[in-house]
Structure formats: C-alpha cells, structure tokens
Amino acid sequence: MNREVRVRFAPSPTGPLHIGGVRTALYNYLFARKHNGKFILRIEDTDQQRFVPGAEEYIIESLTWCGIKFDEGVHIGGPYGPYKQSERKAIYKQYADYLIAKGSAYYAFDTAEELESLRKQYEAEKKTFQYDIHTRTSLKNSLTLSKQETQDWINAGKPYVVRFKMPENRILQLHDLIRGEVTVNTSTLDDKVLFKSDGLPTYHLANIVDDHLMQISHVIRGEEWLPSLPLHYLLYEAFEWTDTMPLFAHLPLLLKPDGKGKLSKRDGDRLGFPVFPCNWHNPDGELYPGFREWGYLPQAFINMLALLGWNPGTDQELFSLNELVELFTIERVNKSGARFDPEKAKWFNQQYLKKLSNDELTELIKPIILERGINTTPEKLHKVIGLLKERAIFPQDIINEGIYFFQKPLQYDDAAIKKRIKPTSINFLEQLIDDLNSCNFANEELETAMNTFCQQHQLGLGEIMIPIRIALVGTTKGPHLGEIMEVLGKKESIDRITTFISYLKQFAF
Ligand code: GLU
C-alpha cells in the first residue's frame, strides 16, 4: 500500500453513541495505528432536524474513556479542518452546482406534501413510491421543466432540492474489503437528495466531498451504509475522483444476545445490560446507563468489542490495545453479524479486574466508598480488596459483597441458623471468646486457635465456624474466617460474636 492510510470516524450527533459506533471507531483506530496512518474525527451534523445538543461532547468523552485517540478532528484541529460539517457549509454548494452543470444532478421542486400524497397513492395500490428513473419524468424538476422555467422558479425563491440523476441500467460491480464483490443494477436505485434549499448538503454529498478533501484512503463503517455504496461510487465517478476513491469496508451488525436482529437501546433496558459506553441523559431526563458507570474497565470493554466481529484466528481472548493494533486486519473481520453476549462482557471485566493491583483497585473504589458514606482506612480497604478481588466482576462488587467489613451485620440469616446451629453451641461460643481474647489476631493463628478449640471440645469444625461466620458476616458466605477476623480486628470480632450470642439466646430454634 503506497498511499498514506487516512481513516475517519464520522458520527452524526443525533444521540448517544451506541456500542456499535464505538466498535466502528475502534476498528478504524486499530487500522490507522497498524498502518502508521492517521485517524480523524469528523462530525456529520448537516441534518439540523436530528441534531441533539450534547451528543458531540458525549462522543468525544466516550472515545476518550475507551483510550481511542485521534490524530485530527473536531476537538483537536488539524490540517484538513474544519472537521465539523456545519462549519464547512460554504464548501458544498459548488460541488452540487458542478454536478448540475454536468448533467449528473438536477433541481427538484416537488413539495413534501406532493411527495407524501404520491407515496400514499402508491401504497393504496400496494406499490412503493421511489423518486427514480421511472417517476422523475412526471415530476416537477429541471428535467421536465424548461431551462427558463427552472431559472424563474429558482429566482422566485421556490424551495428545491438537488437530486442525483441515477444512470439507467448500469451494472455496477463494487468491491468491499469484507464482503467482496457487490453487484447492483442502477435502475433499481432512487435519485437521492444531495443538497437542500436550506443551503446544506445531505449526508451523501457532504460525506463524499469531505472524504475526498480530507484524502481518506479507507472507509470503514457500519453495514447499514452498504446500500449507499453504489451512489457513493457514482458520485466519485461524476466528480472524476475515482483514482483516489477510498477502499470500502462495511462492518457486520451487532446483534441481540439471541441473535435475532440488531442490538438496540431497548434490549439493554429489557435485558439489563448497557448498550452505551457512558451514561447518557436524554434531553427529557431519561437515563441510558453506560458501561463506564456499570463498573466496566475501558480495557475490558475495548477487548470485548474488538472480538465482536473480528477474530484473531487463534484461541487467545485477552488482548491489550497494543496487541490488537499488532494483530488487527480487515480480512479477519467477519461477514456475518456478531452477537452481543452480556455474560461474556462480564467475563472480560472480571479478567481485567483481577489483573489490577490492590492500589489501582483502591483508587477505583474510593469514590464508591465516599458516595456510600462508608468510613474506613486505606489499609483496611486494601486488605478487603485483596480478599475479594478474585471473585468480583465490578469494583463495586467488592463493597457489596464485603459490606460486613465496614458495618456490623444488620440482620442474620435465620434459615441458616435454624439449619446449621445447635443451641448447645452458645455455651462453646462463650468459652471460645476467652481463647480469642488471648490470641494474636492474625489469620493463621486464629484458624489454629479455632481448630484446637474444636479438637479439645470434640466438636465438628462447622459447629464453631458456622456460628462465628454468621456472627461476623450475617450469612454463611465470605472468605476464610481467619482472614475476616484479621481484617475486623480483635475488638470488633469479639463484639460481633458477643452480640450474636445474645441473639442466639433469644432465638427460637
Ligand atoms: N454520519 C454517518 C453515521 O453517522 C457516517 C457514515 C460513514 O461513515 O460514511 O453513521
């Protein structure tokens, strides 16, 4: 490849970025890095009606959280700017004019109402209306009006759009880097609007003009844009830019967990997992939860996303961003849709959480501790993390699972008490307290002390360990007893056992 690799992520700020969009950005990023190319962020905001305030900032914040960095873009500038289409408004009209002058595009004056009524008429006859080679000859456009009439209407300020004049019966053979050859007959395609009388181009025109002016070498984007490829190809041809036309790769869809259809925002609500990278507050106040706020680590999120649609050709599943850059190839992107698996997403997070040092996890957990008003010391937090991190999926699991390290049990598992504790244990527990009082509160010594106690009194281990555990934790869960007691310390442990003994004395066995 002798051309400089320049790829872009070109989202429209119409709402929060779905994880499918993050994956598109990621694959572009990996491809750019792999080929020592440039990665560009361009905001495609020509559709003013769908513009959502805050969406652009959200996109930048989310990708920054993921560790996806750009070389040029709306937020950092660069030699091909501006990188926001609304700021490039003055550029596009000349290109629309050029296409009209060449006969590749035409003015159309049909009003929205007229087109709507045609659509309904067609529907009534069980047909679909399309503005195309078959219908354009009977509609109000510069192909049916005289040159003079057209000019008069424009001068009179009659609203118009510019439409692409789709050629008749051409068989286009297009190449997609993922899908291979795609063949289309142009007679089946409609005359898409390229430019509107509000002075703004549509996506199609602005996208082609900008990709050309920004010298984009590869367009890597979602599968939903594959149907636009013939039009885009014909635009490059009409502008006589085919020599430098980018290569195209259309990424497979992200599917629902059951594989039936595209993953949507509603699936997240319905099945209880996030589909957005970060929390998004809709203008009407609705909250869409994000992976970040759920407790996902960006490295785990990126690793999981990378494998949704791409495979390394080996069994390896854990990859750092640098390894992904190293290994990524478009050839290994799958053609078929990739099923999002929320359980697998959690698995990835667990793997990455385990790899964090206790210090790193302490930093992540500090805000959770503050938010919940939990009083503790960094040393204690550190120890709790050490005990619980193996089993945690999210940082907050350590606090939720280990809440008894920070506060006395609010209640006891009565069912477990009934099933597993005998009233005779009460007496032994009282005696054990004496032994514990003279014991050094370190894990192994505590375990030995309790084992010895059981032997001396010919008790099964459970007869002592289970009541002590319920006394300290409230339930039968948790790590080794000695470890729990070491972290709680002598005073707190003995206090809890004493409180529990009183509880047992009242208990209806
Ligand atoms: N603005 C389009 C989108 O939001 C970009 C499609 C493309 O990459 O060409 O998906």
Side-chain angles (χ1 to χ4, degrees), residues 124-150:
E125 296 168 29
K126 302 232 171 323
K127 291 191 293 190
T128 318
F129 173 72
Q130 202 171 252
Y131 209 118
D132 61 13
I133 185 149
H134 310 290
T135 56
R136 67 163 85 111
T137 46
S138 55
L139 292 160
K140 282 187 201 149
N141 53 53
S142 54
L143 303 172
T144 57
L145 299 165
S146 72
K147 224 174 175 164
Q148 190 56 49
E149 270 174 313
T150 304

Side-chain angles (χ1 to χ4, degrees), residues 263-336:
L263 181 69
S264 79
K265 135 179 159 343
R266 261 160 288 279
D267 296 316
D269 295 346
R270 191 167 56 87
L271 302 166
F273 55 80
V275 291
F276 297 100
C278 302
N279 271 2
W280 166 261
H281 297 271
N282 231 12
D284 59 18
E286 200 188 343
L287 168 75
Y288 300 172
F291 277 84
R292 178 178 67 181
E293 288 76 7
W294 259 61
Y296 278 90
L297 302 169
Q299 303 85 334
F301 175 61
I302 284 300
N303 194 155
M304 180 266 307
L305 268 188
L307 292 170
L308 282 180
W310 169 82
N311 73 84
T314 65
D315 289 341
Q316 188 180 343
E317 290 189 288
L318 298 176
F319 301 92
S320 68
L321 201 53
N322 284 341
E323 280 177 292
L324 289 171
V325 167
E326 211 38 45
L327 295 169
F328 184 79
T329 60
I330 294 277
E331 290 70 34
R332 286 210 161 275
V333 173
N334 311 331
K335 285 194 190 62
S336 51

Side-chain angles (χ1 to χ4, degrees), residues 40-235:
I40 296 138
L41 176 61
R42 182 173 76 222
I43 297 293
E44 301 206 324
D45 60 345
T46 56
D47 189 347
Q48 299 287 300
Q49 264 145 28
R50 295 185 60 218
F51 176 80
V52 173
E56 179 183 327
E57 292 74 10
Y58 177 89
I59 291 166
I60 295 169
E61 184 185 339
S62 299
L63 296 175
T64 306
W65 175 68
C66 293
I68 297 177
K69 294 197 187 82
F70 292 90
D71 302 296
E72 299 167 26
V74 66
H75 54 317
I76 46 175
Y80 296 83
Y83 293 92
K84 192 190 292 201
Q85 288 183 332
S86 58
E87 290 170 12
R88 301 170 65 79
K89 205 170 153 182
I91 297 177
Y92 306 111
K93 187 169 184 305
Q94 55 185 302
Y95 291 98
D97 290 346
Y98 172 82
L99 291 179
I100 292 171
K102 240 191 126 180
S104 300
Y106 60 92
Y107 295 106
F109 299 94
D110 321 82
T111 65
E113 294 73 34
E114 285 165 349
L115 293 176
E116 188 48 36
S117 119
L118 268 174
R119 232 165 251 133
K120 289 217 171 100
Q121 225 173 291
Y122 270 67
E123 245 169 52
E125 296 168 29
K126 302 232 171 323
K127 291 191 293 190
T128 318
F129 173 72
Q130 202 171 252
Y131 209 118
D132 61 13
I133 185 149
H134 310 290
T135 56
R136 67 163 85 111
T137 46
S138 55
L139 292 160
K140 282 187 201 149
N141 53 53
S142 54
L143 303 172
T144 57
L145 299 165
S146 72
K147 224 174 175 164
Q148 190 56 49
E149 270 174 313
T150 304
Q151 203 47 56
D152 289 348
W153 282 20
I154 294 172
N155 293 346
K158 203 170 162 51
Y160 64 83
V161 296
V162 175
R163 287 183 180 271
F164 185 70
K165 191 177 165 201
M166 197 46 83
E168 189 173 0
N169 215 12
R170 265 187 66 189
I171 310 291
L172 292 183
Q173 276 212 312
L174 308 170
H175 185 75
D176 180 273
L177 293 172
I178 297 168
R179 274 140 229 281
E181 302 307 318
V182 181
T183 308
V184 201
N185 183 329
T186 56
S187 288
T188 61
L189 304 173
D190 65 332
D191 291 353
K192 281 268 185 294
V193 174
L194 301 177
F195 198 82
K196 296 165 288 172
S197 43
D198 64 3
L200 282 171
T202 60
Y203 155 73
H204 300 291
L205 181 68
N207 186 272
I208 288 337
V209 166
D210 285 349
D211 280 350
H212 172 72
L213 295 179
M214 295 182 183
Q215 299 194 14
I216 298 302
S217 63
H218 296 76
V219 167
I220 304 170
R221 63 183 172 191
E223 186 181 89
E224 64 275 26
W225 298 107
L226 189 60
S228 301
L229 185 58
L231 170 65
H232 293 183
Y233 172 79
L234 290 168
L235 282 170

